Amino acid sequence: MSEEWISITEAAQRLSDAGDPVDRSTLSRYLKQHAEALPLRRAGKSNLVDFLALVAHRGENIRLRTPPPSAPAPATTAAPQSRRFVGTQTDGAARKMMADAELREIALAKERKQLAPVGEVDRAGRDAVALMQSAFEQAVETDAAAFALKYGWDERQVRLALKQFARRGLDRFNAELRDRLEEMRRADQEEPAEPAPA
């Protein structure tokens, strides 16, 4: 695969020119965060980055995907042009290569049965919670009678206390599960805010 090693400053400028606005310090942090995929090369006092690998990496990072900047309105009433990729031919080739690799990975994961339909996972989760609730209810009935006999307590009061205990535990479990799912959903949907129109 071809490489193009340039300074981080130049890479930030070229990305910005191609419609991926980023300053040098933000790009430097991005490179540190993804150091394993985007290794740097030392050249004197500067660090160089493989620009083609960087473009491909940022192209496949769904958290960075933003709509391309809109072109200024033409002075004449010409027919609107279709949106085209803003960047060099090499950038486009790198993005296409990464997209093809992603599609191959998804196809391979499906073939190996490593992907599960969302509905299936949701159904299995609901079934597991229902089974857990049923198990708690059965345990309450048998344990209430056993505690009443062993300690001389009122069986009805023990049953009420155990049911309340089980309900609180399940409520806490459901709340924790909802919070974690919401965090995951937010993380997947997080995208940089669009710049306000001037």
Side-chain angles (χ1 to χ4, degrees):
M1 182 181 165
S2 57
E3 297 176 343
E4 186 181 354
W5 293 89
I6 61 174
S7 71
I8 296 173
T9 304
E10 187 183 346
Q13 184 61 52
R14 285 175 63 178
L15 285 172
S16 297
D17 291 345
D20 181 5
V22 63
D23 60 32
R24 191 204 181 284
S25 62
T26 304
L27 182 57
S28 184
R29 285 193 302 274
Y30 182 87
L31 292 169
K32 281 181 187 170
Q33 184 181 3
H34 301 285
E36 192 173 308
L38 298 167
L40 298 177
R41 182 181 285 176
R42 197 83 179 145
K45 293 183 178 180
S46 300
N47 282 320
L48 303 180
V49 60
D50 179 3
F51 185 68
L52 301 180
L54 174 62
V55 168
H57 192 274
R58 287 178 72 84
E60 73 176 357
N61 189 335
I62 60 171
R63 293 186 183 174
L64 297 177
R65 289 186 187 158
T66 55
S70 57
T76 61
T77 55
Q81 294 182 345
S82 62
R83 285 187 170 180
R84 297 183 63 194
F85 170 71
V86 180
T88 66
Q89 213 170 8
T90 310
D91 296 342
R95 284 179 187 239
K96 183 184 182 319
M97 190 172 64
M98 291 309 294
D100 290 345
E102 270 185 55
L103 290 173
R104 283 193 300 272
E105 281 181 38
I106 291 170
L108 184 60
K110 279 183 183 174
E111 204 174 291
R112 291 178 174 172
K113 301 195 184 300
Q114 293 173 328
L115 298 178
V118 173
E120 222 174 87
V121 175
D122 181 56
R123 222 175 4 263
R126 290 174 192 272
D127 290 349
V129 171
L131 283 171
M132 186 168 59
Q133 285 176 317
S134 174
F136 272 132
E137 285 168 11
Q138 289 174 8
V140 163
E141 293 303 320
T142 55
D143 287 353
F147 290 156
L149 191 62
K150 184 174 182 179
Y151 299 109
W153 296 337
D154 177 18
E155 185 177 335
R156 196 172 69 73
Q157 292 295 324
V158 173
R159 187 177 290 111
L160 287 173
L162 289 176
K163 281 184 178 179
Q164 188 177 24
F165 175 76
R167 194 176 308 114
R168 282 186 183 165
L170 285 169
D171 287 347
R172 183 172 289 183
F173 171 80
N174 286 331
E176 184 71 26
L177 200 57
R178 271 196 311 274
D179 289 347
R180 290 188 184 197
L181 287 171
E182 187 57 35
E183 280 175 26
M184 288 167 60
R185 198 173 294 117
R186 271 199 305 266
D188 285 344
Q189 293 173 348
E190 247 177 35
E191 289 181 5
E194 283 188 47

